[in-house]
Amino acid sequence: AQAIGNYILQNFPNKRVLYTTSEQFTFDFISSIHKKNDDFTNNYKNLDVLIIDDIQFLANKEATQDKFFHIYNTLQQAGKKIILTSDKAPRDIKDIHERLVSRFLSSLAIEIKSPDYKLRSDIIKHKAKDDSIELSEEVIDIIAKNVTKNIREIEGILIKLVVMKTFDNQIITPTLVYEVITELSSEPKPISIQEIKEKISIHYNVKIENMISKSRKHEIALARQMAIFIARKYTNLSLKEIGKEFG
């Protein structure tokens, strides 16, 4: 959303563009009520392009929704541009006035998917260049493959690496990058079949060698079945591969 605003300003410097969030919009609106002036409304209605991030957070804010509705109508009727982002489709946003939802639905809706590997790699290279930090192709590959959903996490990892190189004089090795990713990334780490065996062994008090044996004792069979179930659900192994792991 910010990139769109920056692009417009670079190519049409005379355009009046505002990027804000739904929370900031609400805060500014409430502040204007306390100040008892129309500056808020006038500032928004005089825009050429209005960009609001996370519009879903206007849910349950009745007065703010009313104000936004009137601003939306004014800008739309004047042929101005309105760009909104949300974490869900317009029809799936709850506790938003139907009249707002209908306007969202009448506009162009585009789903922005997670960036693919090439785009993640390009982003990493670009940001590394901006931060004046050299990264090997192997390091770029590690980050791009392991941080797949959140660009902000990629930014956080690069900032951490810059700090470690600049202030701690550390060499950015693949091992160091893995450590930083593990520390900062919120993405769930893949679970191994061995980890499953160990956890199940402790939980059911059954030795791993017994679990993978042919014993049909109830407590052993139960532990084995649970381990197989978890392996099937939380790993990418096929049933045949899982079967081999359990004898």
Side-chain angles (χ1 to χ4, degrees):
Q2 290 180 2
I4 294 172
N6 289 330
Y7 179 87
I8 294 171
L9 288 174
Q10 287 169 6
N11 291 274
F12 306 94
N14 294 326
K15 295 293 184 182
R16 291 161 296 185
V17 180
L18 173 65
Y19 166 90
T20 188
T21 64
S22 59
E23 294 99 325
Q24 188 63 48
F25 180 90
T26 302
F27 176 80
D28 292 342
F29 171 55
I30 295 173
S31 295
S32 72
I33 294 175
H34 293 316
K35 294 176 182 177
K36 297 181 180 180
N37 61 47
D38 292 330
D39 289 347
F40 173 83
T41 301
N42 293 332
N43 288 339
Y44 274 87
K45 288 184 176 180
N46 288 325
L47 294 172
D48 293 304
V49 182
L50 171 60
I51 305 172
I52 300 184
D53 235 342
D54 292 320
I55 198 67
Q56 74 274 6
F57 289 130
L58 290 187
N60 292 316
K61 298 180 176 69
E62 297 293 327
T64 306
Q65 288 185 46
D66 284 335
K67 175 57 70 173
F68 176 68
F69 174 78
H70 292 298
I71 290 173
Y72 187 104
N73 278 348
T74 300
L75 291 174
Q76 188 179 54
Q77 290 168 9
K80 307 302 183 180
K81 302 303 179 184
I82 305 168
I83 301 168
L84 309 173
T85 73
S86 171
D87 63 356
K88 50 180 69 68
R91 183 57 73 183
D92 296 329
I93 303 176
K94 296 182 179 180
D95 301 314
I96 293 282
H97 290 171
E98 183 61 33
R99 59 184 181 175
L100 275 176
V101 174
S102 67
R103 278 159 177 74
F104 298 162
L105 289 171
S106 67
S107 304
L108 174 64
I110 299 173
E111 179 184 3
I112 301 178
K113 298 183 178 180
S114 298
D116 58 19
Y117 171 83
K118 184 180 184 307
L119 180 54
R120 293 197 302 274
S121 298
D122 290 342
I123 290 172
I124 293 167
K125 292 175 183 177
H126 179 76
K127 291 188 175 296
K129 183 178 179 181
D130 285 346
D131 292 331
S132 300
I133 181 173
E134 292 187 14
L135 299 179
S136 67
E137 288 296 328
E138 183 180 5
V139 165
I140 293 171
D141 179 69
I142 291 171
I143 299 174
K145 283 183 177 178
N146 287 276
V147 186
T148 60
K149 296 179 181 179
N150 195 328
I151 297 303
R152 288 191 177 94
E153 285 192 8
I154 289 179
E155 292 175 336
I157 288 167
L158 291 176
I159 290 171
K160 178 80 171 181
L161 292 174
V162 169
V163 170
M164 296 176 80
K165 179 178 177 59
T166 304
F167 296 101
D168 298 334
N169 202 29
Q170 295 196 47
I171 299 174
I172 301 177
T173 63
T175 300
L176 178 64
V177 173
Y178 275 120
E179 291 175 356
V180 172
I181 290 174
T182 301
E183 177 185 349
L184 299 181
S185 178
S186 64
E187 294 186 25
K189 305 301 181 294
I191 185 171
S192 70
I193 194 76
Q194 186 60 31
E195 287 177 293
I196 293 172
K197 290 177 182 178
E198 291 171 357
K199 297 294 184 183
I200 292 295
S201 171
I202 294 171
H203 183 79
Y204 287 96
N205 195 27
V206 172
K207 292 182 178 180
I208 293 178
E209 54 263 35
N210 291 334
M211 195 191 311
I212 63 177
S213 70
K214 294 183 179 182
S215 173
R216 297 196 178 188
K217 287 184 179 180
H218 175 71
E219 63 273 16
I220 294 176
L222 178 61
R224 183 187 302 123
Q225 289 166 5
M226 182 55 71
I228 291 172
F229 170 77
I230 292 175
R232 183 60 175 156
K233 187 171 182 179
Y234 294 106
T235 73
N236 293 322
L237 298 177
S238 66
L239 279 174
K240 186 176 180 180
E241 290 170 328
I242 294 172
K244 288 182 179 180
E245 290 287 343
F246 290 92

